[in-house]
Amino acid sequence: MSDHHPDLSYRLRQQAILSEFGVEALRGEDVDALLQRATELCAEGMGAEFCKALEHLHDEDMLLVRAGVGWGPNVVGHARVGADLASPAGFALKTGRPVISNHLENENRFRTPQIMAEHGIRRAINVLIENREGAFGVLEVDDTREGMFTEADIAFMQGFANLLGGAIERQRTEGLLKQALARQDLLVREMSHRVKNSLAIVASLLALQARNADDPAVRDALIDARTRVEAIAGVHDQLWRQGDTTPGEIDLAQFLETLTANLQSSAPNHRIRCSAEPLRVSADRAIPMGLMVNELVTNAIKYAYPDRTGEVRVGAACTGAALVLDVSDDGVGLPADFDIGRASGSLGMRVIANLARQLDARIATPRGQGARFYIEIPLEA
């Protein structure tokens, strides 16, 4: 990539890719698959030819290429790179500082590792993958073409590295949890507490970035990302707070009430009402339900009342073999030709459609005053 990206679209695309990987990192159970997915998405977000995730082998003080994209045969899982300060990856590992080298052929600080020379790599950027257990390794993006990696690219890659570090730590912790069956419930709740705290930190960072963003489109995208993270954090918050209840389940009514209260705090000019029947649902189903409600309420806050204040209503009730989520307002209403399946121009509508597919849900938009979304979700067998 050159040093003159179309900044807004390029950075928003990176934000979307990072958000996509964040969900996978929270749910992934296989470290190798997660590392491989990270290298694929990271290369895509940087528009680069190569990416690799290197694990530090402490006994040998070498970096093993654990996952990667673009490399020839016998590299991933086999190739090793020096972990000393004379290699770019080793420098990032030992100092904890990111490394940009845009002209490897003229680089005086480092030697060019053999596999990079064999592939004609001309520039590289490295960031550290670490967690509370220490340094796991390094995430590196490489390219054979002229161009300039920038400080902003470091922020994007560090986001991937941080998610990887947290996911690796989480997976190791979950492995220990499975060995302690007698204490399983208590420890799972503790893990949910940690996940909730981690997500709260991510939400705070997104809020901080939003406040510092000059471009309104970037600011709005960061605010939307923050509310989505907070919706997921709400599920984990309830998981660790539950008492002697079924592990892995939460009270949907309490969750939706907390979610709408949080949304209300960011929309003081509107009134958000929630009326939900008590129902215990699994966390895996509560997360997409919460994200759908989050998107619909956020959209209503933004668009339903362009020139005035108004009310947004959220309902949840059981009707036979289905749970019905009902989000409505008294605003300007939906366009006459609105079809959620064709609303591809709206990221929020695409998110809602994808979440509905996960839940095998049917969405109806009955006509009347304002807008209304009627979502019918089959109850678990």
Side-chain angles (χ1 to χ4, degrees):
M1 276 291 182
S2 72
D3 196 23
H4 302 286
H5 298 299
D7 244 359
L8 178 58
S9 61
Y10 178 69
R11 298 304 171 197
L12 285 178
R13 174 62 181 151
Q14 287 188 338
Q15 181 69 39
I17 289 174
L18 193 56
S19 296
E20 176 185 344
F21 181 68
V23 174
E24 296 187 27
L26 285 171
R27 296 182 175 179
E29 297 180 355
D30 183 293
V31 171
D32 287 302
L34 198 60
L35 289 169
Q36 183 60 33
R37 186 61 175 152
T39 60
E40 293 166 0
L41 287 175
C42 199
E44 178 186 343
M46 298 276 285
E49 299 171 299
F50 299 84
C51 183
K52 58 181 180 283
L54 301 115
E55 180 184 3
H56 184 216
L57 306 177
H58 294 272
D59 293 343
E60 304 174 36
D61 199 25
M62 296 287 287
L63 287 161
L64 170 69
V65 180
R66 182 85 177 262
V69 61
W71 304 98
N74 300 319
V75 171
V76 174
H78 301 283
R80 285 168 164 74
V81 174
D84 56 291
L85 293 171
S87 76
F91 187 89
L93 176 75
K94 294 298 174 64
T95 66
R97 289 156 47 193
V99 177
I100 295 179
S101 186
N102 283 314
H103 305 285
L104 280 172
E105 70 275 13
N106 300 320
E107 183 63 74
N108 295 319
R109 296 175 298 169
F110 312 113
R111 66 173 185 276
T112 301
Q114 182 180 350
I115 63 167
M116 295 170 71
E118 291 172 351
H119 287 79
I121 302 300
R122 303 178 72 172
R123 56 195 176 100
I125 180 170
N126 292 264
V127 296
L128 181 67
I129 303 170
E130 65 176 340
N131 52 40
R132 288 180 299 181
E133 297 172 347
F136 171 83
V138 174
L139 182 64
E140 178 175 323
V141 165
D142 307 296
D143 212 296
T144 65
R145 301 166 295 184
E146 290 283 353
M148 298 288 288
F149 292 128
T150 68
E151 294 292 328
D153 292 322
I154 286 178
F156 170 67
M157 288 185 60
Q158 194 65 62
F160 267 93
N162 291 347
L163 288 168
L164 278 171
I168 291 166
E169 179 184 340
R170 174 180 61 81
Q171 290 177 26
R172 180 183 179 277
T173 304
E174 287 177 353
L176 295 175
L177 291 177
K178 291 175 182 177
Q179 298 173 17
L181 294 177
R183 302 170 57 222
Q184 183 176 11
D185 183 37
L186 174 63
L187 294 177
V188 166
R189 288 173 57 199
E190 174 63 20
M191 178 54 61
S192 291
H193 181 48
R194 293 184 183 183
V195 171
K196 185 267 295 186
N197 287 343
S198 297
L199 290 172
I201 292 171
V202 173
S204 298
L205 290 173
L206 289 169
L208 179 62
Q209 287 182 317
R211 286 196 294 272
N212 294 332
D214 295 325
D215 189 292
V218 173
R219 185 166 57 251
D220 289 345
L222 291 169
I223 291 171
D224 287 347
R226 184 201 71 191
T227 62
R228 291 172 187 139
V229 170
E230 287 176 340
I232 299 173
V235 172
H236 287 281
D237 185 42
Q238 289 207 29
L239 281 174
W240 86 268
R241 289 181 186 277
Q242 67 182 354
D244 297 327
T245 56
T246 306
E249 288 188 351
I250 67 168
D251 183 337
L252 183 64
Q254 186 178 346
F255 168 53
L256 291 179
E257 287 166 4
T258 303
L259 173 61
T260 52
N262 289 339
L263 291 168
Q264 176 71 81
S265 67
S266 62
N269 295 328
H270 299 288
R271 183 183 180 193
I272 303 173
R273 293 175 52 196
C274 179
S275 175
E277 294 180 1
L279 176 69
R280 298 204 67 80
V281 298
S282 68
D284 287 343
R285 289 168 69 80
I287 288 174
M289 290 178 194
L291 287 173
M292 280 197 288
V293 170
N294 179 80
E295 295 296 330
L296 291 170
V297 173
T298 300
N299 272 8
I301 292 169
K302 287 181 180 178
Y303 306 117
Y305 305 101
D307 302 314
R308 60 187 177 93
T309 62
E311 184 176 89
V312 182
R313 295 174 294 278
V314 175
C318 289
T319 58
L323 165 69
V324 171
L325 293 177
D326 194 347
V327 180
S328 62
D329 60 67
D330 302 314
V332 296
L334 299 169
D337 60 345
F338 177 83
D339 182 340
I340 194 168
R342 295 198 300 267
S344 59
S346 165
L347 174 61
M349 289 300 113
R350 293 203 306 272
V351 168
I352 292 166
N354 288 336
L355 293 169
R357 280 194 290 271
Q358 289 182 31
L359 295 168
D360 294 323
R362 294 190 299 112
I363 302 178
T365 53
R367 298 302 172 180
Q369 182 180 2
R372 184 182 181 192
F373 290 82
Y374 189 88
I375 306 167
E376 194 173 279
I377 305 166
L379 291 173
E380 293 175 291

